[in-house]
Amino acid sequence: QPLRTGRLVLPPFTVQYNGLVYNTKQIPIVVNQDTSSDYLLCEIKTGVNAAYVGEQVRLSLEIWVRQYQQAGIGKLDANIMWKLCDTQGSSLGVFGNADWRQVRYSEAGRNDPDGKPQQYYVYVVEMVAQPTKPGPFDFGNVAVAFKYPKRLNRSFFGLELADSRRLRVLAKTPPLEIK
């Protein structure tokens, strides 16, 4: 994972596989500032900081997606917005066992990083976990991806996604110690 923005170069390296040697060339890349936090936030919540092995623990995954609006079209409906969740690009960790058909949502406001108030859809997935070993609870890799609209077009079939950008964020995890 890059630690700074700008132009970086991945150095060449050598790999040996099945008795053969493979060499790569250096690879230049450009790293930009992450702006997905303005449009997509993800956080796991629990009602407790500690639990026992075998005890049921309620977990909630909150997915905050900034409402999309476009002149001439208005605000994109929450159900349509939810369909833009990129399930192939997401990793669900412990929430892989959740019932994703029972996702509920609400609308909420919060300030973006510049302090400007924005409206979001907050999708909530709930589940119950039963820890099997002591120590810090392993939520797994929970990351959510969305195809966030840049532009919509109207067509005979309704609204179509004309252009989008892929957003992907890791969920913030709370401390949960298992005893």
Short mmCIF file of all heavy atoms in Angstrom, two decimals, residues 128-158:
data_model
loop_
_atom_site.label_atom_id
_atom_site.label_comp_id
_atom_site.label_asym_id
_atom_site.label_seq_id
_atom_site.Cartn_x
_atom_site.Cartn_y
_atom_site.Cartn_z
N VAL A 128 -25.25 -11.84 13.94
CA VAL A 128 -24.79 -12.29 15.25
C VAL A 128 -23.60 -13.20 15.02
O VAL A 128 -23.65 -14.12 14.21
CB VAL A 128 -25.91 -13.04 16.01
CG1 VAL A 128 -25.38 -13.60 17.31
CG2 VAL A 128 -27.09 -12.11 16.27
N ALA A 129 -22.51 -12.92 15.73
CA ALA A 129 -21.30 -13.74 15.65
C ALA A 129 -21.11 -14.46 16.97
O ALA A 129 -21.53 -13.96 18.02
CB ALA A 129 -20.08 -12.87 15.33
N GLN A 130 -20.47 -15.62 16.92
CA GLN A 130 -20.12 -16.37 18.12
C GLN A 130 -18.63 -16.62 18.09
O GLN A 130 -18.17 -17.52 17.39
CB GLN A 130 -20.88 -17.70 18.18
CG GLN A 130 -22.13 -17.61 19.02
CD GLN A 130 -22.80 -18.95 19.16
OE1 GLN A 130 -23.23 -19.52 18.18
NE2 GLN A 130 -22.90 -19.41 20.38
N PRO A 131 -17.86 -15.83 18.84
CA PRO A 131 -16.41 -15.99 18.84
C PRO A 131 -16.01 -17.40 19.29
O PRO A 131 -16.65 -17.98 20.18
CB PRO A 131 -15.93 -14.95 19.85
CG PRO A 131 -17.06 -13.98 19.97
CD PRO A 131 -18.31 -14.74 19.70
N THR A 132 -14.96 -17.93 18.66
CA THR A 132 -14.53 -19.30 18.96
C THR A 132 -13.19 -19.37 19.68
O THR A 132 -12.80 -20.45 20.11
CB THR A 132 -14.41 -20.11 17.65
OG1 THR A 132 -13.49 -19.44 16.78
CG2 THR A 132 -15.77 -20.24 16.98
N LYS A 133 -12.50 -18.22 19.80
CA LYS A 133 -11.20 -18.25 20.48
C LYS A 133 -10.97 -16.91 21.19
O LYS A 133 -11.46 -15.87 20.75
CB LYS A 133 -10.08 -18.57 19.52
CG LYS A 133 -9.91 -17.57 18.40
CD LYS A 133 -8.83 -17.99 17.44
CE LYS A 133 -8.71 -16.94 16.35
NZ LYS A 133 -7.82 -17.29 15.30
N PRO A 134 -10.19 -16.95 22.28
CA PRO A 134 -9.90 -15.70 23.00
C PRO A 134 -8.91 -14.83 22.23
O PRO A 134 -8.20 -15.29 21.35
CB PRO A 134 -9.30 -16.20 24.32
CG PRO A 134 -8.81 -17.57 24.05
CD PRO A 134 -9.64 -18.13 22.93
N GLY A 135 -8.91 -13.55 22.61
CA GLY A 135 -8.03 -12.58 21.98
C GLY A 135 -8.84 -11.55 21.22
O GLY A 135 -10.07 -11.53 21.30
N PRO A 136 -8.18 -10.68 20.44
CA PRO A 136 -8.91 -9.69 19.65
C PRO A 136 -9.80 -10.41 18.63
O PRO A 136 -9.37 -11.37 17.98
CB PRO A 136 -7.82 -8.89 18.95
CG PRO A 136 -6.57 -9.17 19.72
CD PRO A 136 -6.73 -10.53 20.33
N PHE A 137 -11.05 -9.98 18.49
CA PHE A 137 -11.98 -10.61 17.56
C PHE A 137 -11.52 -10.35 16.13
O PHE A 137 -11.12 -9.24 15.78
CB PHE A 137 -13.40 -10.07 17.75
CG PHE A 137 -14.41 -10.73 16.86
CD1 PHE A 137 -14.83 -12.02 17.12
CD2 PHE A 137 -14.91 -10.08 15.75
CE1 PHE A 137 -15.77 -12.65 16.30
CE2 PHE A 137 -15.83 -10.69 14.92
CZ PHE A 137 -16.26 -11.98 15.19
N ASP A 138 -11.56 -11.37 15.30
CA ASP A 138 -11.14 -11.27 13.91
C ASP A 138 -12.36 -11.00 13.04
O ASP A 138 -13.16 -11.90 12.79
CB ASP A 138 -10.44 -12.55 13.47
CG ASP A 138 -9.93 -12.49 12.04
OD1 ASP A 138 -9.95 -11.39 11.45
OD2 ASP A 138 -9.54 -13.54 11.52
N PHE A 139 -12.50 -9.75 12.59
CA PHE A 139 -13.61 -9.38 11.71
C PHE A 139 -13.35 -9.83 10.27
O PHE A 139 -14.26 -9.81 9.45
CB PHE A 139 -13.82 -7.86 11.72
CG PHE A 139 -14.30 -7.33 13.04
CD1 PHE A 139 -13.41 -6.81 13.96
CD2 PHE A 139 -15.65 -7.36 13.35
CE1 PHE A 139 -13.86 -6.32 15.18
CE2 PHE A 139 -16.11 -6.87 14.57
CZ PHE A 139 -15.21 -6.35 15.49
N GLY A 140 -12.11 -10.21 9.98
CA GLY A 140 -11.75 -10.55 8.61
C GLY A 140 -11.56 -9.28 7.80
O GLY A 140 -11.59 -8.16 8.34
N ASN A 141 -11.37 -9.44 6.53
CA ASN A 141 -11.18 -8.29 5.65
C ASN A 141 -12.54 -7.80 5.18
O ASN A 141 -13.16 -8.43 4.32
CB ASN A 141 -10.30 -8.69 4.46
CG ASN A 141 -10.01 -7.53 3.55
OD1 ASN A 141 -10.09 -6.37 3.95
ND2 ASN A 141 -9.67 -7.83 2.32
N VAL A 142 -13.01 -6.72 5.76
CA VAL A 142 -14.31 -6.15 5.38
C VAL A 142 -14.05 -4.86 4.60
O VAL A 142 -13.58 -3.87 5.16
CB VAL A 142 -15.21 -5.87 6.60
CG1 VAL A 142 -16.54 -5.29 6.16
CG2 VAL A 142 -15.42 -7.14 7.42
N ALA A 143 -14.33 -4.93 3.31
CA ALA A 143 -14.15 -3.78 2.42
C ALA A 143 -15.35 -3.73 1.48
O ALA A 143 -15.79 -4.77 0.98
CB ALA A 143 -12.86 -3.88 1.64
N VAL A 144 -15.88 -2.55 1.26
CA VAL A 144 -17.06 -2.39 0.41
C VAL A 144 -16.69 -1.56 -0.81
O VAL A 144 -15.99 -0.55 -0.69
CB VAL A 144 -18.21 -1.72 1.20
CG1 VAL A 144 -19.40 -1.47 0.31
CG2 VAL A 144 -18.60 -2.59 2.38
N ALA A 145 -17.17 -2.01 -1.97
CA ALA A 145 -16.91 -1.31 -3.23
C ALA A 145 -18.22 -0.86 -3.85
O ALA A 145 -19.25 -1.55 -3.73
CB ALA A 145 -16.15 -2.22 -4.19
N PHE A 146 -18.20 0.29 -4.48
CA PHE A 146 -19.37 0.85 -5.16
C PHE A 146 -18.96 1.38 -6.52
O PHE A 146 -17.84 1.84 -6.70
CB PHE A 146 -19.97 2.02 -4.36
CG PHE A 146 -21.17 1.65 -3.55
CD1 PHE A 146 -21.04 1.03 -2.34
CD2 PHE A 146 -22.45 1.93 -4.01
CE1 PHE A 146 -22.13 0.68 -1.59
CE2 PHE A 146 -23.56 1.59 -3.27
CZ PHE A 146 -23.40 0.96 -2.06
N LYS A 147 -19.89 1.35 -7.46
CA LYS A 147 -19.75 2.05 -8.73
C LYS A 147 -20.51 3.36 -8.54
O LYS A 147 -21.71 3.42 -8.74
CB LYS A 147 -20.35 1.23 -9.87
CG LYS A 147 -19.65 -0.06 -10.13
CD LYS A 147 -20.36 -0.86 -11.19
CE LYS A 147 -19.78 -2.24 -11.28
NZ LYS A 147 -20.63 -3.14 -12.07
N TYR A 148 -19.79 4.38 -8.14
CA TYR A 148 -20.44 5.65 -7.83
C TYR A 148 -20.65 6.45 -9.12
O TYR A 148 -19.72 6.64 -9.90
CB TYR A 148 -19.60 6.47 -6.84
CG TYR A 148 -20.37 7.62 -6.26
CD1 TYR A 148 -21.21 7.43 -5.17
CD2 TYR A 148 -20.30 8.87 -6.84
CE1 TYR A 148 -21.95 8.48 -4.65
CE2 TYR A 148 -21.04 9.93 -6.33
CZ TYR A 148 -21.86 9.73 -5.24
OH TYR A 148 -22.60 10.77 -4.74
N PRO A 149 -21.87 6.92 -9.36
CA PRO A 149 -22.16 7.62 -10.63
C PRO A 149 -21.37 8.92 -10.78
O PRO A 149 -21.17 9.65 -9.82
CB PRO A 149 -23.65 7.93 -10.53
CG PRO A 149 -24.18 7.10 -9.43
CD PRO A 149 -23.05 6.81 -8.51
N LYS A 150 -20.94 9.15 -12.01
CA LYS A 150 -20.42 10.45 -12.41
C LYS A 150 -21.44 11.13 -13.30
O LYS A 150 -21.58 12.34 -13.28
CB LYS A 150 -19.12 10.30 -13.20
CG LYS A 150 -17.90 9.97 -12.40
CD LYS A 150 -16.73 9.87 -13.37
CE LYS A 150 -15.41 10.03 -12.72
NZ LYS A 150 -14.33 9.95 -13.72
N ARG A 151 -22.16 10.31 -14.08
CA ARG A 151 -23.16 10.85 -15.00
C ARG A 151 -24.16 9.75 -15.34
O ARG A 151 -23.80 8.61 -15.55
CB ARG A 151 -22.47 11.35 -16.27
CG ARG A 151 -23.37 12.11 -17.22
CD ARG A 151 -22.58 12.78 -18.34
NE ARG A 151 -21.62 11.92 -18.99
CZ ARG A 151 -21.90 11.15 -20.05
NH1 ARG A 151 -23.11 11.17 -20.56
NH2 ARG A 151 -20.97 10.39 -20.59
N LEU A 152 -25.44 10.16 -15.37
CA LEU A 152 -26.53 9.27 -15.77
C LEU A 152 -27.13 9.75 -17.08
O LEU A 152 -27.13 10.95 -17.36
CB LEU A 152 -27.63 9.23 -14.70
CG LEU A 152 -27.22 8.76 -13.30
CD1 LEU A 152 -28.36 8.95 -12.32
CD2 LEU A 152 -26.79 7.30 -13.33
N ASN A 153 -27.68 8.85 -17.85
CA ASN A 153 -28.43 9.17 -19.06
C ASN A 153 -29.83 8.59 -18.94
O ASN A 153 -30.01 7.56 -18.32
CB ASN A 153 -27.77 8.56 -20.32
CG ASN A 153 -26.52 9.28 -20.73
OD1 ASN A 153 -26.29 10.43 -20.37
ND2 ASN A 153 -25.68 8.60 -21.49
N ARG A 154 -30.80 9.30 -19.54
CA ARG A 154 -32.15 8.75 -19.64
C ARG A 154 -32.23 7.98 -20.95
O ARG A 154 -31.72 8.40 -21.97
CB ARG A 154 -33.19 9.86 -19.66
CG ARG A 154 -33.37 10.53 -18.33
CD ARG A 154 -34.65 11.38 -18.36
NE ARG A 154 -34.75 12.20 -17.20
CZ ARG A 154 -35.25 11.80 -16.04
NH1 ARG A 154 -35.69 10.58 -15.91
NH2 ARG A 154 -35.33 12.62 -15.02
N SER A 155 -32.91 6.84 -20.89
CA SER A 155 -33.12 6.06 -22.10
C SER A 155 -34.55 5.53 -22.09
O SER A 155 -35.30 5.75 -21.14
CB SER A 155 -32.13 4.89 -22.18
OG SER A 155 -32.52 3.86 -21.28
N PHE A 156 -34.89 4.80 -23.11
CA PHE A 156 -36.21 4.18 -23.21
C PHE A 156 -36.47 3.28 -22.00
O PHE A 156 -37.60 3.14 -21.54
CB PHE A 156 -36.28 3.36 -24.51
CG PHE A 156 -37.56 2.62 -24.68
CD1 PHE A 156 -38.73 3.29 -25.03
CD2 PHE A 156 -37.61 1.25 -24.49
CE1 PHE A 156 -39.92 2.61 -25.18
CE2 PHE A 156 -38.79 0.56 -24.64
CZ PHE A 156 -39.96 1.24 -24.99
N PHE A 157 -35.41 2.68 -21.44
CA PHE A 157 -35.53 1.74 -20.33
C PHE A 157 -35.42 2.40 -18.96
O PHE A 157 -35.47 1.74 -17.95
CB PHE A 157 -34.46 0.65 -20.46
CG PHE A 157 -34.58 -0.12 -21.74
CD1 PHE A 157 -33.69 0.10 -22.78
CD2 PHE A 157 -35.59 -1.05 -21.92
CE1 PHE A 157 -33.79 -0.60 -23.96
CE2 PHE A 157 -35.70 -1.75 -23.10
CZ PHE A 157 -34.81 -1.53 -24.12
N GLY A 158 -35.22 3.70 -18.91
CA GLY A 158 -35.07 4.41 -17.64
C GLY A 158 -33.70 5.05 -17.54
O GLY A 158 -33.12 5.46 -18.54
#
